[in-house]
Amino acid sequence: MQYNIKADGKLHTRFTDLNRATPRQVIDIIREQLGTKKRFESKTLTFGETRHEMWERESRDTGRLPQCFVDAFPEYGHIEVTDVEEEFATEIYRDIVLHSRLDGLARKHATIFDYKTQKKGAGGARIYKNSKQLPTYAWHLALHNIRIKQVVYLVEIWEFDEAGNPVGVVGYEKFVKDLGLADTHNMAAWVRDRCETLAEGMRIAGIWKG
């Protein structure tokens, strides 16, 4: 997924990078920036991107969640998705810009929805129990005066053959997490720590002079 990044001398980042911005993993981000290391690719990831494109088109047309998830979870059938793949870009610290793009935002319900494709046997929706992805998005949206009270991971589980080709859907799962004001506020420290690690690594590597 491509983000709308300007060549303005600032450090532009996203959750995927912040999630890996640890002292041990930041070198991988630097190598990707320098072009000496490619981001991980696989047939499964490529298929997931294709499914996301399909879901995006459907939600833009209907203003609702993708029908496959509504069929699996009828309680979401009335949800109006106000923002589909909307990108938010904010200078969260001096010369550091965070980009977040949400699969689905339901402003009236103060809820973020994230769609996942997953290989059968990979753990199901429960693997997102401790994920910081959507809480980070919620913190980011708070900077735009958008209050998020709940995040939902909707997971479409697929059977793949030995060659990595999709065979068919075997089920749907969801993981729901309620967010209090403290939960959102507490993400600030995590984001700050990861930004500092990433920025320092970029400076040392000579990629960024901020």
Side-chain angles (χ1 to χ4, degrees):
M1 180 185 298
Q2 296 297 319
Y3 286 76
N4 299 316
I5 296 177
K6 300 177 181 178
D8 54 9
K10 297 179 180 180
L11 177 59
H12 292 260
T13 189
R14 55 184 179 171
F15 171 78
T16 304
D17 289 336
L18 293 183
N19 198 42
R20 298 185 299 155
T22 65
R24 294 186 64 176
Q25 290 185 290
V26 71
I27 187 64
D28 290 332
I29 303 173
I30 292 170
R31 287 171 177 166
E32 290 168 2
Q33 292 283 334
L34 293 173
T36 59
K37 177 182 172 63
K38 289 186 177 181
R39 286 185 177 271
F40 177 75
E41 298 178 352
S42 70
K43 285 186 177 181
T44 304
L45 286 177
T46 300
F47 174 71
E49 292 173 356
T50 300
R51 285 297 283 157
H52 271 77
E53 291 171 359
M54 295 169 65
W55 289 329
E56 177 185 353
R57 289 195 296 269
E58 182 180 347
S59 282
R60 288 191 187 281
D61 287 342
T62 66
R64 305 288 178 179
L65 294 172
Q67 190 61 45
C68 62
F69 292 120
V70 172
D71 290 341
F73 310 109
E75 63 270 29
Y76 295 134
H78 68 290
I79 297 291
E80 178 187 358
V81 180
T82 52
D83 301 76
V84 178
E85 291 289 340
E86 184 73 20
E87 180 174 338
F88 294 84
T90 311
E91 187 167 345
I92 55 176
Y93 303 111
R94 182 179 177 182
D95 292 334
I96 299 179
V97 180
L98 176 64
H99 294 256
S100 298
R101 182 174 290 165
L102 288 60
D103 289 344
L105 169 62
R107 296 190 186 221
K108 294 179 182 178
H109 299 273
T111 300
I112 298 173
F113 290 91
D114 193 73
Y115 315 138
K116 305 288 189 185
T117 55
Q118 191 182 99
K119 185 176 181 180
K120 179 182 176 182
R126 67 179 181 273
I127 69 171
Y128 301 106
K129 179 179 180 180
N130 297 315
S131 172
K132 288 183 170 58
Q133 179 188 4
L134 298 190
T136 298
Y137 290 174
W139 175 82
H140 191 175
L141 291 182
L143 302 180
H144 293 261
N145 295 316
I146 301 173
R147 170 82 165 93
I148 299 300
K149 297 180 180 180
Q150 188 177 82
V151 296
V152 182
Y153 297 87
L154 297 175
V155 185
E156 184 178 70
I157 302 173
W158 282 76
E159 181 83 49
F160 289 84
D161 62 23
E162 293 183 357
N165 299 308
V167 176
V169 177
V170 296
Y172 291 88
E173 294 185 11
K174 66 176 179 178
F175 181 78
V176 181
K177 183 175 184 179
D178 294 328
L179 295 181
L181 287 171
D183 296 317
T184 301
H185 176 74
N186 290 340
M187 288 305 303
W190 183 85
V191 172
R192 184 182 302 108
D193 177 70
R194 295 306 175 97
C195 281
E196 289 175 353
T197 300
L198 180 61
E200 184 63 18
M202 292 295 187
R203 279 191 289 261
I204 291 174
I207 298 175
W208 184 58
K209 298 179 180 180

